[in-house]
mmCIF file of all heavy atoms in Angstrom:
data_model
loop_
_atom_site.group_PDB
_atom_site.id
_atom_site.type_symbol
_atom_site.label_atom_id
_atom_site.label_comp_id
_atom_site.label_asym_id
_atom_site.label_seq_id
_atom_site.Cartn_x
_atom_site.Cartn_y
_atom_site.Cartn_z
ATOM 1 N N SER L 1128 162.994 217.225 99.721
ATOM 2 C CA SER L 1128 163.363 218.562 100.374
ATOM 3 C C SER L 1128 162.031 219.110 100.957
ATOM 4 O O SER L 1128 161.043 219.072 100.240
ATOM 5 C CB SER L 1128 163.926 219.542 99.325
ATOM 6 O OG SER L 1128 164.238 220.730 99.828
ATOM 7 N N LYS L 1129 162.096 219.550 102.124
ATOM 8 C CA LYS L 1129 160.938 220.148 102.693
ATOM 9 C C LYS L 1129 160.801 221.682 102.530
ATOM 10 O O LYS L 1129 159.831 222.343 102.151
ATOM 11 C CB LYS L 1129 160.774 219.813 104.205
ATOM 12 C CG LYS L 1129 159.330 220.195 104.738
ATOM 13 C CD LYS L 1129 159.020 219.303 105.861
ATOM 14 C CE LYS L 1129 157.625 219.684 106.420
ATOM 15 N NZ LYS L 1129 157.290 218.744 107.554
ATOM 16 N N ARG L 1130 162.119 222.361 102.726
ATOM 17 C CA ARG L 1130 162.142 223.747 102.719
ATOM 18 C C ARG L 1130 163.110 224.365 101.713
ATOM 19 O O ARG L 1130 163.364 225.493 101.878
ATOM 20 C CB ARG L 1130 162.297 224.278 104.225
ATOM 21 C CG ARG L 1130 161.166 223.909 105.120
ATOM 22 C CD ARG L 1130 161.333 224.318 106.528
ATOM 23 N NE ARG L 1130 160.331 223.786 107.330
ATOM 24 C CZ ARG L 1130 160.382 222.624 107.869
ATOM 25 N NH1 ARG L 1130 161.426 221.773 107.758
ATOM 26 N NH2 ARG L 1130 159.403 222.194 108.628
ATOM 27 N N SER L 1132 166.441 223.714 100.721
ATOM 28 C CA SER L 1132 167.908 223.772 100.718
ATOM 29 C C SER L 1132 168.361 222.510 99.949
ATOM 30 O O SER L 1132 169.365 222.578 99.236
ATOM 31 C CB SER L 1132 168.520 223.898 102.131
ATOM 32 O OG SER L 1132 168.059 222.900 103.002
ATOM 33 N N THR L 1133 167.750 221.378 100.220
ATOM 34 C CA THR L 1133 168.192 220.129 99.558
ATOM 35 C C THR L 1133 167.866 220.228 98.021
ATOM 36 O O THR L 1133 168.674 219.846 97.145
ATOM 37 C CB THR L 1133 167.509 218.915 100.095
ATOM 38 O OG1 THR L 1133 167.679 218.920 101.557
ATOM 39 C CG2 THR L 1133 168.165 217.636 99.661
ATOM 40 N N ILE L 1171 167.965 215.994 106.575
ATOM 41 C CA ILE L 1171 168.233 215.107 107.720
ATOM 42 C C ILE L 1171 167.197 215.649 108.827
ATOM 43 O O ILE L 1171 167.013 216.748 109.148
ATOM 44 C CB ILE L 1171 169.655 215.286 108.205
ATOM 45 C CG1 ILE L 1171 170.669 214.855 107.088
ATOM 46 C CG2 ILE L 1171 169.803 214.404 109.579
ATOM 47 C CD1 ILE L 1171 172.135 215.061 107.488
ATOM 48 N N GLY L 1173 166.178 214.177 112.653
ATOM 49 C CA GLY L 1173 166.440 213.235 113.755
ATOM 50 C C GLY L 1173 167.598 212.257 113.340
ATOM 51 O O GLY L 1173 167.498 211.119 113.608
ATOM 52 N N SER L 1174 168.599 212.781 112.688
ATOM 53 C CA SER L 1174 169.686 211.951 112.199
ATOM 54 C C SER L 1174 169.475 210.911 111.147
ATOM 55 O O SER L 1174 170.293 210.176 110.750
ATOM 56 C CB SER L 1174 170.414 211.230 113.334
ATOM 57 O OG SER L 1174 170.959 212.094 114.221
ATOM 58 N N ALA L 1202 173.761 220.083 111.630
ATOM 59 C CA ALA L 1202 174.759 219.568 112.486
ATOM 60 C C ALA L 1202 176.106 219.590 111.765
ATOM 61 O O ALA L 1202 176.109 219.264 110.564
ATOM 62 C CB ALA L 1202 174.403 218.202 113.077
ATOM 63 N N ARG L 1236 170.000 224.586 106.105
ATOM 64 C CA ARG L 1236 169.367 225.919 106.445
ATOM 65 C C ARG L 1236 168.242 225.557 107.443
ATOM 66 O O ARG L 1236 167.527 224.487 107.314
ATOM 67 C CB ARG L 1236 168.854 226.497 105.164
ATOM 68 C CG ARG L 1236 168.235 227.858 105.362
ATOM 69 C CD ARG L 1236 167.560 228.384 104.162
ATOM 70 N NE ARG L 1236 168.441 228.546 103.107
ATOM 71 C CZ ARG L 1236 168.194 228.052 101.761
ATOM 72 N NH1 ARG L 1236 167.145 227.633 101.449
ATOM 73 N NH2 ARG L 1236 169.227 228.242 100.851
HETATM 74 C C1 LIG Y 1984 162.199 218.364 112.757
HETATM 75 C C2 LIG Y 1984 163.633 218.476 112.273
HETATM 76 C C3 LIG Y 1984 164.655 217.753 112.687
HETATM 77 C C4 LIG Y 1984 165.876 217.863 112.220
HETATM 78 N N1 LIG Y 1984 166.952 217.094 112.612
HETATM 79 C C5 LIG Y 1984 168.116 217.277 112.101
HETATM 80 C C6 LIG Y 1984 169.220 216.398 112.570
HETATM 81 O O1 LIG Y 1984 169.007 215.369 113.265
HETATM 82 N N2 LIG Y 1984 170.442 216.551 112.129
HETATM 83 C C7 LIG Y 1984 170.831 217.745 111.311
HETATM 84 O O2 LIG Y 1984 171.928 217.796 110.933
HETATM 85 N N3 LIG Y 1984 169.707 218.541 110.946
HETATM 86 C C8 LIG Y 1984 168.478 218.343 111.297
HETATM 87 N N4 LIG Y 1984 167.575 219.175 110.881
HETATM 88 C C9 LIG Y 1984 167.852 220.297 110.074
HETATM 89 C C10 LIG Y 1984 167.459 220.199 108.632
HETATM 90 O O3 LIG Y 1984 167.595 219.047 108.134
HETATM 91 C C11 LIG Y 1984 168.156 221.147 107.736
HETATM 92 O O4 LIG Y 1984 167.706 222.425 108.158
HETATM 93 C C12 LIG Y 1984 167.963 221.082 106.164
HETATM 94 O O5 LIG Y 1984 168.672 222.040 105.496
HETATM 95 C C13 LIG Y 1984 166.518 221.059 105.770
HETATM 96 O O6 LIG Y 1984 166.426 220.733 104.354
HETATM 97 P P1 LIG Y 1984 165.297 221.346 103.358
HETATM 98 O O7 LIG Y 1984 165.459 222.788 103.293
HETATM 99 O O8 LIG Y 1984 165.690 220.648 102.065
HETATM 100 O O9 LIG Y 1984 164.038 220.904 103.865
HETATM 101 C C14 LIG Y 1984 166.241 219.043 111.378
HETATM 102 C C15 LIG Y 1984 165.190 219.851 111.043
HETATM 103 C C16 LIG Y 1984 163.892 219.721 111.473
HETATM 104 C C17 LIG Y 1984 162.790 220.587 110.948
#
Side-chain angles (χ1 to χ4, degrees):
S1128 179
K1129 189 153 182 183
R1130 295 178 187 87
S1132 60
T1133 311
I1171 299 174
S1174 297
R1236 183 184 301 138

